[in-house]
Amino acid sequence: MDEMTVKALAKINIGLDVTGVREDGYHLVRMIMQTIHMYDLVTVSKSAEAGITMKSNAKYLPTNDDNLCVKAAKLLAEEFDLKDGTQIRLSKRIPVAAGMAGGSSDAAAVLYGMNQIHGLGLSKKELMERGVRIGADVPYCLMRGTALAEGIGEKLTRLPGLPKCYVLVGKPGINVSTKLAYENLHLDQIQSHPDIDGMISDIENQDLHSLTAKMQNVFEPGIISQYPVIQEIKDLMEANGALKAMMSGSGPTVFGIFDDRSKLREAAEALRDSHLAKTVFATQIYNKK
């Protein structure tokens, strides 16, 4: 096999708590992650040209060592002293700086693809151990499905799949860096923390309504105070049938959870008509079998 194309799936956080800070400055989190059927396409192929080369349809993205895809490829190329070069082609669909782990998922796809085309023989667990050196979300993006993430996001516990539901994604025309999100988060001022353990029980009991009632993201107040459009998108989704709408990760993307496909379609149409969101995408969850 000389070439492989991998779907790099986006994620949402249906619950996100920050519980402390390590001595090295990394924040400790407790969150429930969920992959959805929204993805970039990453093609990894052997190349006669030595080294790592990358091309993308998104001209604004770096294609050098600043890109997580290139970092992932170099990590394996150097460890295994690969003689063949590697070419990466990225077809970008997941919005960037959106709190949906697009870059981390792309890097995970590169690790998976290189393992296959170069016959490295690494297990998923071994790929995940390498992935954390690229970014805290990369191991989860290799695991996929529904998971509890702890530590800095790298300690993963697989959970049962969510009850069947539909997801509406709305991203306004702004970007929010993770750095900015943490700068606006003051641990001693967090007034309410999500009930992560209660959410896990709801997932085990397949109780979608109880689960969505508990959805919470501690980043929201600080980010919404700077970007009120996020609250407007949340309100519109809930007014049009979402059981709950919430900001994903460090934002600014909002997602709404629906128990009915027709409500999802109507809400998507209302969101497009409102022009509040630059990206509107109706989809469903991805449950790892």
Side-chain angles (χ1 to χ4, degrees), residues 128-186:
M128 290 167 67
E129 289 168 353
R130 287 157 177 80
V132 74
R133 286 144 60 182
I134 302 161
D137 281 345
V138 176
Y140 168 73
C141 292
L142 283 156
M143 175 188 274
R144 299 178 167 184
T146 314
L148 171 68
E150 298 174 289
I152 62 170
E154 88 290 6
K155 296 177 183 175
L156 299 169
T157 304
R158 183 173 292 288
L159 299 174
L162 290 189
K164 184 177 180 180
C165 59
Y166 306 95
V167 181
L168 178 59
V169 174
K171 179 185 180 289
I174 53 175
N175 295 334
V176 176
S177 71
T178 302
K179 181 174 181 289
L180 175 69
Y182 277 107
E183 286 173 353
N184 280 277
L185 183 72
H186 304 287

Side-chain angles (χ1 to χ4, degrees), residues 10-248:
K11 65 85 184 165
I12 54 176
N13 303 88
I14 63 170
L16 197 167
D17 197 8
V18 180
T19 59
V21 186
R22 298 197 314 192
E23 289 183 2
D24 60 7
Y26 280 96
H27 284 74
L28 298 170
V29 298
R30 201 154 187 261
M31 53 192 179
I32 299 176
M33 317 266 271
Q34 175 65 51
T35 35
I36 62 173
H37 281 282
M38 181 184 199
Y39 54 84
D40 295 338
L41 286 175
V42 180
T43 301
V44 184
S45 55
K46 291 181 183 178
S47 172
E49 182 182 344
I52 312 296
T53 57
M54 180 177 173
K55 297 178 180 177
S56 174
N57 65 326
K59 302 303 180 187
Y60 50 85
L61 287 180
T63 54
N64 55 18
D65 289 1
D66 291 332
N67 192 292
L68 295 184
C69 289
V70 176
K71 288 183 179 179
K74 284 197 168 183
L75 183 77
L76 293 184
E78 291 172 2
E79 178 181 351
F80 290 91
D81 192 24
L82 297 179
K83 304 306 179 188
D84 289 316
T86 300
Q87 183 180 80
I88 303 163
R89 297 195 305 278
L90 171 62
S91 177
K92 195 73 184 154
R93 301 176 182 180
I94 303 170
V96 300
M100 303 188 78
S104 295
S105 192
D106 295 340
V110 169
L111 292 175
Y112 182 85
M114 285 192 68
N115 187 45
Q116 297 296 314
I117 67 169
H118 293 292
L120 304 182
L122 295 171
S123 66
K124 182 176 287 188
K125 182 173 182 288
E126 289 170 326
L127 286 175
M128 290 167 67
E129 289 168 353
R130 287 157 177 80
V132 74
R133 286 144 60 182
I134 302 161
D137 281 345
V138 176
Y140 168 73
C141 292
L142 283 156
M143 175 188 274
R144 299 178 167 184
T146 314
L148 171 68
E150 298 174 289
I152 62 170
E154 88 290 6
K155 296 177 183 175
L156 299 169
T157 304
R158 183 173 292 288
L159 299 174
L162 290 189
K164 184 177 180 180
C165 59
Y166 306 95
V167 181
L168 178 59
V169 174
K171 179 185 180 289
I174 53 175
N175 295 334
V176 176
S177 71
T178 302
K179 181 174 181 289
L180 175 69
Y182 277 107
E183 286 173 353
N184 280 277
L185 183 72
H186 304 287
L187 294 180
D188 58 343
Q189 296 177 16
I190 297 175
Q191 297 181 353
S192 176
H193 291 269
D195 180 7
I196 299 295
D197 290 332
M199 295 180 75
I200 292 171
S201 295
D202 290 335
I203 293 171
E204 291 170 345
N205 295 328
Q206 294 291 284
D207 189 336
L208 182 64
H209 287 252
S210 182
L211 172 66
T212 52
K214 294 184 179 73
M215 280 174 31
Q216 190 178 346
N217 179 347
V218 295
F219 282 121
E220 273 195 347
I223 300 300
I224 289 175
S225 67
Q226 294 200 28
Y227 302 105
V229 66
I230 295 170
Q231 185 65 50
E232 293 181 64
I233 295 173
K234 287 180 51 169
D235 292 344
L236 186 147
M237 287 187 183
E238 291 180 0
N240 284 274
L243 298 177
K244 185 71 173 284
M246 190 172 81
M247 188 178 80
S248 182

